[in-house]
Amino acid sequence: MIENKTTTVEPLSMRYLFRRGSLIVVHALMFFAIFLAASCGSDGVEDDIPGDDDNHKPPVEDITPGAGIDLYGLVVDDLGKPVPDVVVSDGFTCTVTDGKGVYQMKRDAAARFVFYSTPAEFEIATSSSTVKTASFYAPLTSIKRYDFKLKRLPAVETQFNLICIGDPQVTNVQEFNRFRDETISDIKKQLQTTNRPTYALALGDIVGDKPMLFDQMKVVLGSAGIPLFTTIGNHDKVAPSGSSEPRKADDFTRVFGPLNYSFNRGNVHFVCLDNVVYSNASSYGGGFTDSQIEWLKADLRHVPKSKMVIVYYHIPIRNSSGITNRTKMLEALSGFAEVHLMAGHTHYTENFSITSPVKAYEHIHGAACGSWWRSTLNGDGTPNGYAVYEINGAKFSNWYYKPVKLPHDFQIRLHRGDVTFGGQYGQYTFGQGANTIVANVWNADSEWKVEAYEDGVNVGSLTKLSTSLKDAWTLGYHIGVLNRNPDNYSPASKHLYLHTRKNPGASLEIRATDRFGTVYKQSEIVSGYETAASYQ
């Protein structure tokens, strides 16, 4: 007999942490105390881990589930009215609420959460009013009924901004403080420049193999003041103690919730997927499981083809044959108005056009931590930062990479092509001739136009350099000066351009025009490492 019992969802609180009773939790509490001391009074963030607001307690209604149903509930709005056609899932099966706001399904044995795909007409529920990480789910227990309450927006937000943050990857107090004081502080200032609704995606590697820092990272990520969603990275998964078994996501999901989920804003459908696949405690690759593909198909059946779909995950897929089920995942996106893919992982910037089996644009984001908090730079010369996207309807109307602590129009860095860069641990050069200038235009793609002006006169377009060429200036600092491991600091730069000066004595300006017609200019030629070592 199925009980007709109404239950409420317990907030994610410290009581939940203590019930786990594991050694990791003890460590988490110890590190948590350290972080409280480090961040107290620094940015107005509450000094405790917040519980989720009362998002899941609508008025009680009797529900008589169908035969064999062991997961069901009610979805209502802030006035207590039932909300029909809301997609609800356990991560394996998708269903929709009926005219009475009721959903019901057979729970998968492997399910950990029940969650809903927030409709465009409703606000994104968050953990609290001050920690605005998205809270659209309930951890599954032995009970069967889970109710959700949604708050209706005044109007659907067809124009909004999206911020994408790659790889914070903090491992200690100092790196946590840099992320808070540099990245999050910069995002807060960025938000003051717009009155458009804004949302954020954190694209994995929230921590660097330090699961005890998840709770505090949730607080600081949510402190920017905008709803923020997370995906998991390879450094967010944890190997069972003393075991060679594949790493697990339990510590991440305890804090951030489901690994695969979706939501809607305006005319855009967002899908998050965990694409980090460990074969043992240390070896991993990119890919999607068969059950993920089936869940994705089930989720997308409820999405009109007129919408843009944005899928976000950690490891780029590009044209790699090594990504398990890559083709199946892309085929599931066929027919939608526009498809964009958001990834992190690489610690460099790349914009990649996928042409088969569907047309999709993959945005590979530079890391917030850059080269693991060793400098102000990623390995390819991209500044530490994040991306900003402006969305109108089902299209992007603008996007740019926002360097931390630098103006948003700083999009180009210039170096002399024949200069040797480095220090006592190594020397590096672009290997170009005399009177050449190398321009690093980190957010460029095939539709950008990069031109040189000498004494104010356009003297032609720059030549795109080989994608196997590395940024000599960045290598000169990370390896030649800091003596870092060359294996970690040697990615090829995908966005270097060459100009041979017509008149070496003329004033020089490089102008880059993006696909939206925005023109970025640079005339300063950089040779020293002051800006690599610290922000000026």
Side-chain angles (χ1 to χ4, degrees), residues 37 77 89 122 186 238 257 442 456:
D77 65 15
S89 178
F122 293 88
D186 197 89
V238 180
W442 39 81

Side-chain angles (χ1 to χ4, degrees), residues 156-354:
V156 173
E157 299 165 337
T158 56
Q159 299 183 353
F160 63 94
N161 289 353
L162 176 69
I163 288 174
C164 289
I165 307 166
D167 300 56
Q169 206 163 327
V170 301
T171 64
N172 54 45
V173 173
Q174 291 73 28
E175 292 172 1
F176 173 88
N177 288 344
R178 281 196 66 180
F179 179 66
R180 179 196 62 202
D181 298 339
E182 295 174 18
T183 311
I184 296 300
S185 177
D186 197 89
I187 289 173
K188 289 178 179 178
K189 292 178 181 177
Q190 175 69 23
L191 293 172
Q192 295 173 6
T193 68
T194 181
N195 56 8
R196 289 162 62 108
T198 303
Y199 300 89
L201 309 177
L203 298 170
D205 281 359
I206 307 303
V207 302
D209 301 304
K210 300 292 183 182
M212 65 286 293
L213 307 185
F214 280 139
D215 289 301
Q216 191 68 2
M217 282 298 288
K218 177 176 182 177
V219 172
V220 76
L221 283 166
S223 71
I226 54 176
L228 178 140
F229 295 82
T230 55
T231 190
I232 194 168
N234 52 292
H235 289 287
D236 297 324
K237 294 190 174 183
V238 180
S241 180
S243 172
S244 61
E245 294 180 6
R247 294 191 184 196
K248 298 183 182 298
D250 295 357
D251 291 273
F252 181 91
T253 58
R254 171 184 63 80
V255 177
F256 293 106
L259 300 176
N260 308 291
Y261 59 86
S262 68
F263 67 97
N264 300 278
R265 292 293 84 187
N267 293 317
V268 183
H269 184 70
F270 291 84
V271 182
C272 177
L273 294 173
D274 167 20
N275 77 336
V276 179
V277 182
Y278 271 92
S279 56
N280 54 46
S282 58
S283 300
Y284 70 90
F288 308 94
T289 65
D290 290 339
S291 63
Q292 278 181 296
I293 299 300
E294 292 308 309
W295 173 82
L296 176 63
K297 291 177 181 178
D299 174 81
L300 293 176
R301 289 189 191 107
H302 304 286
V303 182
K305 293 293 188 179
S306 59
K307 287 200 172 189
M308 178 201 293
V309 176
I310 294 177
V311 183
Y312 57 105
Y313 42 76
H314 183 61
I315 298 176
I317 66 172
R318 286 173 286 218
N319 282 336
S320 174
S321 59
I323 300 294
T324 306
N325 280 336
R326 173 188 177 276
T327 298
K328 290 181 179 179
M329 191 278 284
L330 291 172
E331 286 175 344
L333 302 172
S334 177
F336 287 97
E338 196 159 337
V339 176
H340 287 264
L341 311 173
M342 305 295 186
H345 186 60
T346 61
H347 297 250
Y348 61 75
T349 300
E350 182 179 4
N351 293 312
F352 193 90
S353 293
I354 294 172

Side-chain angles (χ1 to χ4, degrees), residues 7 31 78 138 249 289 325 393:
T7 61
F31 271 84
D78 42 327
T289 65
N325 280 336

Side-chain angles (χ1 to χ4, degrees), residues 325-523:
N325 280 336
R326 173 188 177 276
T327 298
K328 290 181 179 179
M329 191 278 284
L330 291 172
E331 286 175 344
L333 302 172
S334 177
F336 287 97
E338 196 159 337
V339 176
H340 287 264
L341 311 173
M342 305 295 186
H345 186 60
T346 61
H347 297 250
Y348 61 75
T349 300
E350 182 179 4
N351 293 312
F352 193 90
S353 293
I354 294 172
T355 58
S356 179
V358 296
K359 291 182 66 175
Y361 192 115
E362 187 172 42
H363 307 255
I364 303 169
H365 297 77
C369 73
S371 293
W372 301 274
W373 300 112
R374 303 290 183 181
S375 64
T376 66
L377 305 169
N378 283 258
D380 65 337
T382 299
N384 294 3
Y386 53 92
V388 180
Y389 300 85
E390 297 174 5
I391 298 173
N392 288 338
K395 289 185 175 296
F396 287 124
S397 57
N398 191 25
W399 74 64
Y400 54 90
Y401 185 86
K402 174 61 177 70
V404 164
K405 290 196 168 187
L406 295 167
H408 80 278
D409 59 356
F410 178 59
Q411 300 291 317
I412 308 168
R413 189 184 291 108
L414 304 180
H415 308 286
R416 298 190 187 279
D418 60 343
V419 170
T420 298
F421 303 98
Q424 62 177 316
Y425 302 108
Q427 303 287 321
Y428 299 86
T429 178
F430 290 106
Q432 304 301 318
N435 299 321
T436 58
I437 298 295
V438 174
N440 193 335
V441 190
W442 39 81
N443 200 34
D445 64 20
S446 60
E447 293 195 19
W448 282 50
K449 182 171 59 175
V450 185
E451 300 169 302
Y453 285 74
E454 295 185 3
D455 285 338
V457 177
N458 188 335
V459 293
S461 297
L462 276 68
T463 302
K464 181 83 180 292
L465 290 172
S466 168
T467 55
S468 64
L469 187 66
K470 299 168 184 178
D471 187 288
W473 180 74
T474 304
L475 291 179
Y477 182 67
H478 288 146
I479 303 175
V481 175
L482 297 183
N483 196 27
R484 305 308 304 169
N485 182 350
D487 291 339
N488 293 334
Y489 289 83
S490 56
S493 178
K494 315 290 185 178
H495 34 73
L496 297 178
Y497 296 78
L498 181 69
H499 171 60
T500 300
R501 303 182 75 161
K502 311 297 183 186
N503 178 5
S507 65
L508 175 70
E509 182 178 77
I510 302 299
R511 299 182 189 179
T513 306
D514 71 10
R515 60 172 54 221
F516 304 103
T518 304
V519 179
Y520 301 104
K521 303 177 182 180
Q522 185 60 266
S523 57

Side-chain angles (χ1 to χ4, degrees), residues 51-115:
D52 288 10
D53 281 347
D54 191 11
N55 296 320
H56 312 314
K57 298 179 182 178
V60 175
E61 297 285 348
D62 288 335
I63 298 175
T64 303
I69 295 298
D70 56 4
L71 181 57
Y72 58 93
L74 177 68
V75 180
V76 299
D77 65 15
D78 42 327
L79 299 178
K81 296 181 179 179
V83 183
D85 300 320
V86 177
V87 178
V88 182
S89 178
D90 65 350
F92 296 87
T93 301
C94 292
T95 189
V96 295
T97 55
D98 62 19
K100 297 181 178 180
V102 173
Y103 71 90
Q104 50 183 309
M105 70 184 79
K106 177 64 178 175
R107 170 178 170 176
D108 191 279
R112 295 279 309 280
F113 297 92
V114 59
F115 54 91

